Amino acid sequence: MKAELLILGVLHRGNFHPYEIKRRFTNAMVECYIDVDVGTLYYAIRQLAKAGLITPVTRERVARGGMRTVYGITVKGKRRFQELLRAQFEAEGFGAGHALQRDVISTSQ
């Protein structure tokens, strides 16, 4: 699931609520390559949390009186992110020993 890789990648950088994750996708122009609408994003987040790859870190009150949940990546999620990243590199033709792959994966640890 591409959404899994993208969400875990964003959360690898810090703890965020779903709208901030969506904003980061927009800023990175991810939507030029893959459609990640809000419904897909929330569904993927629920699935990732159920799998123990991400976890709610805190809840914040928003201006209109609602609450939003901030998520963080778990150790299991970091391992899964590395697996997905490695698989993506291999699918793109970068072998296991390719220097670019080693550099990117080592900086994500």
Side-chain angles (χ1 to χ4, degrees), residues 47-67:
Q47 295 304 108
L48 292 170
K50 186 191 280 187
L53 301 175
I54 65 174
T55 189
V57 174
T58 189
R59 291 180 50 89
E60 301 174 342
R61 185 163 304 282
V62 294
R64 291 177 288 226
M67 297 293 287

Side-chain angles (χ1 to χ4, degrees), residues 42-99:
Y42 275 94
Y43 175 78
I45 286 172
R46 282 192 306 273
Q47 295 304 108
L48 292 170
K50 186 191 280 187
L53 301 175
I54 65 174
T55 189
V57 174
T58 189
R59 291 180 50 89
E60 301 174 342
R61 185 163 304 282
V62 294
R64 291 177 288 226
M67 297 293 287
R68 65 179 168 208
T69 304
V70 175
Y71 291 89
I73 192 168
T74 63
V75 172
K76 181 178 176 183
K78 288 180 182 181
R79 282 194 305 265
R80 178 67 178 150
F81 174 68
Q82 291 168 356
E83 290 169 10
L84 292 169
L85 192 59
R86 187 173 290 114
Q88 187 66 37
F89 274 110
E90 289 171 1
E92 296 293 327
F94 291 101
H98 195 278

